[in-house]
């Protein structure tokens, strides 16, 4: 029997029992769709949390908090060695004088955080300005994106206390010269004032709730502030930047081996990946149970098909059909049910996924609106092609296994008994 004849044979029988075959395909479709949609929730949560971690962290950034063997600050010599490591493009040191800072521009003033940085290393690390240029003169500085908004008049300060939104400085602060007053935390030393000119403005923070009104000053001013105020710099924040995400893990390990306290986003992602891999495997296992339950319907349909076509099978055997061919025909029919059910399940699963990703976040965001959840993007369901392949293999395989027993039964039908059976 040619392959086309085999396909026609299967199609004719499926048309002859439309209702039974349709309900069996429906059961197979529901089982496979349940598997895909359930597992897609695990993929969706994984992507949502991973994207949120990556959005809040620079993926090539490695934070160095200090040394395990000592409570002393990380020295400039040690930072220089970090810069010489393979695949390191920059090692940034940021520190602040132990003093409160106030910026004064005309009648306006506001509290600011003073940060001492190496502008050359910051540029290597990928510093981006929203306006202006990098400092060229010693008294030129960079300011945070919200620096101008933090400069208020006395009237605006009073209005802010009455819950009126302050306007801040209007216009560009580029080229403006302001006074920076530093008051030591201990209060034992008098305040001191320096004049600086704004040369550039840092880029806007990625998150709306982050306010950056810092003043970034060249680290060469550190000794000047210390001598004038009689205070030391705070413990520095040291950040090492890799040239590529793939090299972050090896640099992190190398720094740990040298005795540094280190954190990088790869460590957080590694633990999350392990957790979500186990979660997705569990969801696929639960979904497979639904497919197995649907296989009962396929087994029942194929068993009924063998019983109804006993005489037909007998005729086929009488004219010389081999048992392997008969078995193949029934396995092909059960596979066809599995394939049709799987194709429909994949299409429906994508539809459910799109609907869930549109509807569920609206419900969640409406409940979180008052708590400031607008910046958090939620992806409920993600269906990667790997999940489609896994679900398809499971569904079609289960369908064929369900049809194997009835197919074997068909090959053992006695020809004479089958021919004697009444139509």
């Amino acid at each position: 029997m040619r392959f086309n004849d085999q396909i026609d044979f299967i199609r004719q029988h499926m048309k002859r029992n439309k209702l039974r075959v349709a309900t069996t395909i429906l059961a197979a479709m529901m089982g496979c769709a349940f598997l895909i949609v359930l597992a897609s929730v695990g993929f969706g949560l994984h992507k949502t949390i991973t994207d949120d971690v990556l959005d809040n962290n620079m993926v090539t950034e490695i934070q160095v908090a200090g040394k395990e063997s000592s409570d002393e600050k990380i020295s400039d010599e040690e930072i220089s060695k970090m810069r010489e490591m393979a695949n390191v493009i920059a090692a940034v040191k940021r520190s602040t004088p132990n003093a409160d800072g106030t910026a004064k521009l005309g009648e306006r003033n506001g509290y600011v955080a003073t940060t001492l940085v190496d502008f050359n290393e910051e540029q290597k690390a990928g510093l981006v300005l929203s306006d202006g240029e990098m400092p060229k003169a010693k008294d030129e500085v960079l300011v945070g994106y919200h620096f101008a908004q933090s400069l208020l008049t006395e009237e605006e300060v009073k209005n802010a206390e009455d819950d009126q939104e302050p306007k801040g400085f209007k216009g560009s602060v580029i080229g403006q010269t302001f006074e920076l007053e530093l008051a030591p935390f201990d209060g034992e030393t008098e305040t001191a004032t320096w004049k600086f000119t704004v040369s550039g403005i840092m880029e806007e923070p990625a998150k709306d709730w982050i306010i950056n009104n810092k003043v970034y000053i060249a680290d060469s001013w550190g000794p000047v502030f210390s001598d004038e105020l009689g205070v030391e710099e705070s413990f520095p924040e040291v950040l090492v930047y890799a040239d590529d995400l793939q090299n972050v893990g090896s640099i992190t390990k190398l720094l740990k081996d040298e005795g540094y306290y280190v954190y990088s986003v790869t460590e957080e992602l590694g633990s999350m990946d392990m957790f979500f891999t186990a979660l997705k495997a569990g969801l696929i296992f639960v979904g497979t149970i639904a497919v197995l339950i649907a296989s009962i319907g396929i087994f029942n349909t194929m068993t009924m098909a063998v019983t109804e076509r006993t005489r037909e099978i007998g005729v086929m055997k009488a004219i010389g059909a081999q048992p392997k061919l008969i078995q193949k025909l029934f396995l092909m029919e059960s596979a066809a049910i599995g394939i049709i059910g799987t194709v429909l399940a994949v299409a429906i699963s994508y539809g459910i996924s799109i609907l869930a990703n549109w509807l569920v976040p609206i419900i969640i965001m409406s409940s979180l609106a008052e708590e400031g959840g607008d910046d958090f993007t939620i992806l409920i369901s993600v269906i990667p092609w790997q999940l489609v392949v896994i679900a398809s293999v499971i569904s079609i395989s289960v369908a064929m296994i369900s049809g194997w027993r009835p197919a074997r039964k068909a090959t053992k039908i006695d020809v004479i008994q089958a021919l004697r059976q009444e139509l």
Side-chain angles (χ1 to χ4, degrees), residues 60-297:
T60 58
E61 182 181 277
I62 305 169
Q63 300 175 16
V64 184
K67 299 199 71 172
E68 298 178 3
S69 59
S70 174
D71 293 333
E72 296 181 1
K73 300 177 182 178
I74 299 175
S75 65
D76 292 337
E77 291 76 12
E78 290 171 323
I79 295 176
S80 297
K81 290 182 180 179
M82 294 178 190
R83 292 168 182 162
E84 295 173 359
M85 289 181 176
N87 302 312
V88 171
I89 59 173
V92 173
K93 173 187 175 184
R94 297 173 186 168
S95 61
T96 59
N98 288 315
D100 289 319
T102 303
K104 298 180 179 179
L105 180 60
E107 297 179 352
R108 298 177 177 275
N109 61 77
Y111 291 105
V112 294
T114 306
T115 304
L116 301 170
V117 299
D118 183 333
F119 289 121
N120 291 329
E121 287 297 311
E122 292 284 353
Q123 277 189 295
K124 293 178 184 178
L127 182 145
V128 179
L129 300 179
S130 63
D131 195 10
E133 59 182 9
M134 295 296 294
K136 296 178 180 178
K138 184 179 180 180
D139 63 346
E140 290 184 337
V141 298
L142 299 178
V143 296
Y145 186 82
H146 302 98
F147 173 79
Q149 298 178 16
S150 66
L151 299 176
L152 308 176
T153 61
E154 292 184 4
E155 183 179 353
E156 288 177 335
V157 172
K158 292 179 181 179
N159 291 337
E161 294 176 354
D162 296 333
D163 295 332
Q164 295 184 23
E165 185 176 352
K167 298 179 180 179
F169 182 83
K170 296 299 182 181
S172 175
V173 294
I174 300 294
Q176 297 282 351
T177 299
F178 67 94
E179 294 183 353
L180 177 64
E181 181 182 87
L182 296 179
F185 292 147
D186 55 20
E188 297 178 0
T189 309
E190 294 185 0
T191 61
T193 304
W194 293 268
K195 289 186 177 181
F196 294 99
T197 301
V198 179
S199 70
I201 302 174
M202 302 289 281
E203 68 174 337
E204 183 178 4
K207 297 295 184 181
D208 293 340
W209 47 265
I210 297 178
I211 303 298
N212 183 8
N213 62 347
K214 294 180 179 179
V215 177
Y216 298 87
I217 305 174
D219 54 10
S220 59
W221 281 91
V224 177
F225 294 152
S226 296
D227 293 341
E228 186 74 22
L229 300 173
V231 296
E232 295 183 356
E233 294 179 23
S234 63
F235 266 80
E237 177 188 20
V238 179
L239 303 173
V240 177
Y241 292 88
D243 58 359
D244 191 84
L245 177 60
Q246 296 178 350
N247 298 320
V248 172
S250 59
I251 297 173
T252 300
K253 184 177 184 303
L254 184 59
L255 289 170
K256 284 186 174 182
D257 292 341
E258 294 187 5
Y260 292 102
Y261 290 112
V262 178
Y263 166 80
S264 67
V265 69
T266 54
E267 295 184 314
E268 188 171 349
L269 291 177
S271 58
M272 284 198 311
D273 288 344
M274 186 179 300
F275 169 76
F276 279 105
T277 298
L279 175 63
K280 287 182 282 190
L283 293 175
I284 291 175
F285 175 77
V286 174
T288 302
I289 295 176
V291 177
L292 292 173
I293 294 174
S295 70
I296 298 174

Side-chain angles (χ1 to χ4, degrees), residues 323-332 404 407-408 411:
K324 286 185 178 180
L325 175 61
I326 297 172
Q327 180 175 330
K328 179 182 177 183
L329 290 172
F330 282 93
L331 286 177
M332 287 176 64
W404 183 83
R408 289 291 297 170
T411 63

